[in-house]
Amino acid sequence: MDHLSTTFATLADPTRRAILARLAVGEATVNELAAPFAMSLPAVSKHLKVLEHAGLITRGREAQWRPCRLEAGPLKEVAGWLEHYRRFWDDSFDRMADYLKEIQTKGDPDGRKN
């Protein structure tokens, strides 16, 4: 799969999105990341492996502490891809606003304003 598809597939899981949201605040250990979830440490570790494979996190090693940190590069690629569609919707809404303004100022066939 290409990087964008891998990132979207990884982000499809709410647990992984929650882990990324936590890591956006700062580094955390597996135990800290697992705390809010009703799942085993091995299950959380599997999520971390998926995030690591997608390049969304890195895991360091500082003595016995293994902090996880957010790597935002793949998210920047997603944001760039989405930007094209944001511009599409902005343009569409601008055209709709122009159209609504036009029909409001024209009035109805009986000569009354809307």
Side-chain angles (χ1 to χ4, degrees):
M1 279 199 292
D2 62 282
H3 292 290
L4 195 57
S5 296
T6 300
T7 304
F8 275 120
T10 301
L11 294 173
D13 186 276
T15 300
R16 292 193 285 266
R17 291 192 307 269
I19 289 169
L20 290 177
R22 167 53 187 87
L23 291 175
V25 175
E27 294 180 355
T29 64
V30 175
N31 285 332
E32 291 169 333
L33 293 171
F37 303 107
M39 64 177 69
S40 66
L41 282 177
V44 171
S45 289
K46 285 182 183 180
H47 283 292
L48 294 175
K49 285 179 186 175
V50 172
L51 288 163
E52 194 171 23
H53 173 74
L56 290 164
I57 68 166
T58 56
R59 292 200 256 188
R61 180 170 282 165
E62 297 172 19
Q64 292 186 2
W65 191 57
R66 298 212 44 198
C68 297
R69 35 183 96 73
L70 177 67
E71 296 295 334
L75 296 175
K76 186 175 181 181
E77 185 180 355
V78 168
W81 184 83
L82 289 171
E83 178 62 21
H84 167 75
Y85 296 97
R86 186 195 62 77
R87 283 193 304 259
F88 168 80
W89 284 109
D90 284 349
D91 292 347
S92 295
F93 288 132
D94 288 346
R95 286 192 305 275
M96 183 173 64
D98 291 344
Y99 175 72
L100 290 172
K101 190 181 216 179
E102 179 183 325
I103 62 173
Q104 287 174 344
T105 57
K106 283 185 178 178
D108 69 17
D110 296 332
R112 295 177 298 197
K113 294 275 184 184
N114 287 336

